[in-house]
């Protein structure tokens, strides 16, 4: 305030050192702190139960206390070899007074009790402990590979007290019986701590981070895998060049090039994987579709000689089956078109599927039949001297005369 008479200072709801309020001509009963004119101090606090230590520190050595209002404890860490028998604290409170007073030298070899008194007369004791500062030296952690064995972190407290470890990335690594256990590939951060004791303060937390590489594996598609044309495809086999970690398993399935006709197809990785913790190399394989075996057998057939060797009988499927959706058209032929008996009949087949010729997808075994017959044409020719008969069963022409039969 600059003393200007036209400015009013707002100082309401303050404690003036006494429940009667400040000393001022406008407050005749007030015995508290004196205030000047142009200060608005009403209403003022007549009583208060506040009794807290709000700040505690030393200037030599420079140190700031940590206040725990839950248990009313102030802990101050000072460097090693500090003379704690004559430390002068600076204390800030929310109450009326504190004892021992701020700015008074104290021996902190043992905890010191400070009592804060509130305006209303109530009190609260605080225990002030001065402890030696300690630090942690935490050795760097080198990279690991997923699946590596558990290993021990190395850290040492300047107090020589035991150091504890905690994982800040439990999805990547955990602490098991004091050792680091790798959970998955990625970045792992381990934190070292030391909680202190009656002599040493809590050590500042320190941490180390390291990378966990994926495990290298090679997945090989097994060779010599095949199926017969028209059959349901098998599950494709594979091998892995090294064991997976723990209970990890390969999931998914390999795939192959599209096609159902006889031939060789490439096997690729498809959805096959060991998971995100593995760096996978896939070696493709081959898959063969082989011909489907069937046997067709010619049937006996007799026909009258004509201009071709095509038989009218249809062969039968005597071994094997057609693939689903395939339709066969059968035929058979004579070994020649001349008249005779004991002729060889040879079967054949054309197999279609949806307008496509799929015969090449079959390994066809034809079984011939040697009972084929081609007959000569039988006819009678009238003549003035008699009838001429061509007997299809003999190579003879018989002329029937009115007086006699003549063989030609």
């Amino acid at each position: 305030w600059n003393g200007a008479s036209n400015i009013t200072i707002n100082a309401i709801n303050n404690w003036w050192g006494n429940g009667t309020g400040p000393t001022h001509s406008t407050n005749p009963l007030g015995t508290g702190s004196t205030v000047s004119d142009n200060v608005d101090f009403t209403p003022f606090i007549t009583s208060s139960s506040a009794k807290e230590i709000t700040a505690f520190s030393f200037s030599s050595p420079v140190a700031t206390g940590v206040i725990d209002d839950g248990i009313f404890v102030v802990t101050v860490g000072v460097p090693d070899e500090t003379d704690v028998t004559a430390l002068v604290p600076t204390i800030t409170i929310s109450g009326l007074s504190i004892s021992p007073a701020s700015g008074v030298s104290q021996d902190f070899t043992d905890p010191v009790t400070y009592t804060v008194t509130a305006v209303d007369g109530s009190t609260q004791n605080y225990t002030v402990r001065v402890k030696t500062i300690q630090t942690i030296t935490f050795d760097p952690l080198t990279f690991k590979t997923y699946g590596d064995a558990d290993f021990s972190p190395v850290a040492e407290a300047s107090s020589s007290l035991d150091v504890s470890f905690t994982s800040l990335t439990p999805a990547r690594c955990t602490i098991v019986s004091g050792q680091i256990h790798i959970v998955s590939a990625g970045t792992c951060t381990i934190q070292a701590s030391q909680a202190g004791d009656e002599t040493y303060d809590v050590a500042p937390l320190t941490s180390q981070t390291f990378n966990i590489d994926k495990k290298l594996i090679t997945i090989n598609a097994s060779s010599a895998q095949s199926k017969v044309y028209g059959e349901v495809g098998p599950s494709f086999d594979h091998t892995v060049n090294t064991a997976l970690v723990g209970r990890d398993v390969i999931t998914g399935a390999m795939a192959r090039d599209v096609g159902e006709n006889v031939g060789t197809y490439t096997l690729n990785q498809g959805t096959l994987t060991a998971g995100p913790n593995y760096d996978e190399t896939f070696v493709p394989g081959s898959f063969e579709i082989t011909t489907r075996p069937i046997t067709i057998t010619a049937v006996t057939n007799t026909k009258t000689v004509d201009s071709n060797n095509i038989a009218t009988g249809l062969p039968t499927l005597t071994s094997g089956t057609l693939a689903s959706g395939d339709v066969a058209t059968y035929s058979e032929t004579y070994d020649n078109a001349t008249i005779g008996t004991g002729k060889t009949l040879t079967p054949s087949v054309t197999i279609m599927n949806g307008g496509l010729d799929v015969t090449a997808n079959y390994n066809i075994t034809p079984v011939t039949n040697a009972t084929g017959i081609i007959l000569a044409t039988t006819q009678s020719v009238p003549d003035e001297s008699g009838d001429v008969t061509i007997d299809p069963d003999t190579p003879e022409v018989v002329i029937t005369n009115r007086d006699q039969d003549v063989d030609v």
Side-chain angles (χ1 to χ4, degrees):
W1 176 51
N2 61 11
S5 61
N6 62 341
I7 296 177
T8 299
I9 303 301
N10 185 349
I12 64 174
N13 296 317
N14 276 311
W15 171 252
W16 297 98
N18 191 284
T20 60
T23 299
H24 190 268
S25 60
T26 61
N27 183 32
L29 299 180
T31 59
S33 300
T34 301
V35 296
S36 63
D37 294 337
N38 300 320
V39 175
D40 185 4
F41 56 80
T42 57
F44 51 80
I45 297 175
T46 60
S47 181
S48 173
S49 62
K51 45 185 177 293
E52 298 176 346
I53 293 178
T54 57
F56 193 104
S57 63
F58 299 128
S59 59
S60 180
V62 177
T64 300
V66 176
I67 301 169
D68 188 337
D69 287 318
I71 58 175
F72 305 106
V73 171
V74 179
T75 302
V76 189
V78 296
D80 194 13
E81 298 183 359
T82 297
D83 181 6
V84 297
T85 62
L87 295 175
V88 179
T90 299
I91 310 170
T92 304
I93 64 171
S94 64
L96 179 63
S97 63
I98 186 168
S99 179
S102 175
V104 177
S105 176
Q106 294 292 327
D107 182 355
F108 287 96
T109 302
D110 296 316
V112 176
T113 299
Y114 281 81
T115 301
V116 182
T117 301
V119 171
D120 63 5
S122 60
T123 60
Q124 177 62 60
N125 291 333
Y126 279 80
T127 299
V128 177
R129 296 189 177 106
V130 174
K131 297 184 178 183
T132 302
I133 294 172
Q134 62 169 329
T135 58
I136 297 173
T137 302
F138 193 175
D139 290 356
L141 300 171
T142 59
F143 78 92
K144 295 291 180 179
T145 299
Y146 176 69
D148 283 353
D150 295 355
F151 63 101
S152 298
V154 177
E156 183 179 2
S158 59
S159 63
S160 297
L161 297 174
D162 291 339
V163 176
S164 297
F165 300 96
T166 304
S167 172
L168 301 183
T169 52
R172 298 286 177 259
C173 57
T174 58
I175 299 296
V176 178
S177 299
Q179 291 190 310
I180 299 174
H181 173 72
I182 293 172
V183 176
S184 65
T187 300
C188 170
T189 299
I190 300 296
Q191 179 177 270
S193 62
Q194 214 305 306
D197 59 9
E198 291 300 316
T199 302
Y200 289 92
D201 195 10
V202 176
L205 298 174
T206 184
S207 62
Q208 292 288 355
T209 297
F210 67 99
N211 289 327
I212 303 169
D213 293 341
K214 296 182 178 183
K215 183 179 177 68
L216 300 176
I217 63 170
T218 300
I219 303 174
N220 296 277
S222 299
S223 59
Q225 299 187 74
S226 66
K227 74 164 187 172
V228 174
Y229 167 75
E231 299 297 328
V232 176
S235 297
F236 304 124
D237 295 329
H238 65 273
T239 59
V240 182
N241 69 324
T242 186
L244 300 186
V245 176
R247 297 183 179 180
D248 290 352
V249 295
I250 299 286
T251 61
M254 287 188 293
R256 66 173 177 85
D257 293 345
V258 177
E260 290 300 329
N261 290 323
V262 168
T264 300
Y265 298 83
T266 299
L267 288 174
N268 53 62
Q269 188 167 1
T271 60
L272 199 70
T273 181
N277 294 315
Y278 295 86
D279 188 356
E280 301 163 348
T281 298
F282 182 79
V283 179
S286 61
F287 179 79
E288 184 180 9
I289 299 179
T290 60
T291 54
R292 189 181 185 93
I294 61 172
T295 300
I296 57 173
T297 302
V299 298
T300 188
N301 190 83
T302 300
K303 76 168 189 174
T304 301
V305 68
D306 53 21
S307 60
N308 60 62
N309 67 338
I310 299 173
T312 55
L314 297 177
T316 58
L317 181 64
T318 54
S319 176
T321 59
L322 298 182
S324 176
D326 289 357
V327 178
T329 301
Y330 299 97
S331 62
E332 62 185 39
T333 57
Y334 288 89
D335 50 355
N336 58 60
T338 61
I339 297 170
T341 61
K343 290 184 171 295
T344 299
L345 294 162
T346 301
S348 63
V349 63
T350 299
I351 304 173
M352 306 291 291
N353 186 310
L356 298 176
D357 189 339
V358 295
T359 308
N361 291 321
Y362 287 82
N363 179 12
I364 302 169
T365 300
V367 178
T368 60
N369 187 311
T371 62
I373 300 173
I374 298 180
L375 301 174
T377 301
T378 301
Q379 57 182 344
S380 296
V381 181
D383 190 272
E384 291 180 357
S385 60
D387 294 332
V388 177
T389 301
I390 302 174
D391 186 349
D393 294 325
T394 65
E396 297 178 342
V397 177
V398 179
I399 300 174
T400 303
N401 191 277
R402 289 185 177 88
D403 298 324
Q404 58 183 343
D405 289 342
V406 179
D407 289 339
V408 179

